[in-house]
Amino acid sequence: MLSEGVKWLVLVLTAAMVLDHLEIGGTVVDLAFGILFGGIVLTLALAIGLGSRDLVSRSIEKTAERAPDADPSAPPPGGEPGKPPIPIDTLRHF
């Protein structure tokens, strides 16, 4: 499926370059290609972001569990010195 997507992306890029080289459509071709490419990038960013949600939450949980072993002179996690720390239970939920 990935190879088909790359194949079509290359074909669309080639078509946009050909139309631009032949001076057909003026800036409309550039604008259409920009909108299409931006939509593909946005779609991939959402897919990767939503797909890695579990990985990020597990990483935050591991960091929160290791926090008591950290340097006692360091400021509390998520807060500044002198302010109350953020409870660990709130870090486990999104």
Side-chain angles (χ1 to χ4, degrees), residues 13-24:
L13 176 64
T14 304
M17 291 173 68
V18 166
L19 290 175
D20 187 44
H21 184 69
L22 294 175
E23 297 178 1
I24 298 174

Side-chain angles (χ1 to χ4, degrees), residues 71-92:
D71 184 20
S73 63
E80 297 177 9
K83 289 188 177 182
I86 298 173
I88 293 177
D89 292 339
T90 60
L91 292 176
R92 296 178 185 225

Side-chain angles (χ1 to χ4, degrees), residues 6-82:
V6 170
K7 179 179 102 174
W8 280 104
L9 184 64
V10 169
L11 288 175
V12 168
L13 176 64
T14 304
M17 291 173 68
V18 166
L19 290 175
D20 187 44
H21 184 69
L22 294 175
E23 297 178 1
I24 298 174
T27 59
V28 174
V29 174
D30 294 335
L31 183 63
F33 177 73
I35 291 171
L36 178 67
F37 189 70
I40 291 170
V41 169
L42 178 63
T43 303
L44 289 174
L46 283 171
I48 291 171
L50 292 174
S52 65
R53 186 173 45 188
D54 292 333
L55 177 67
V56 171
S57 65
R58 282 182 286 187
S59 174
I60 290 174
E61 285 179 4
K62 286 180 184 178
T63 303
E65 289 172 359
R66 279 189 259 147
D69 297 333
D71 184 20
S73 63
E80 297 177 9

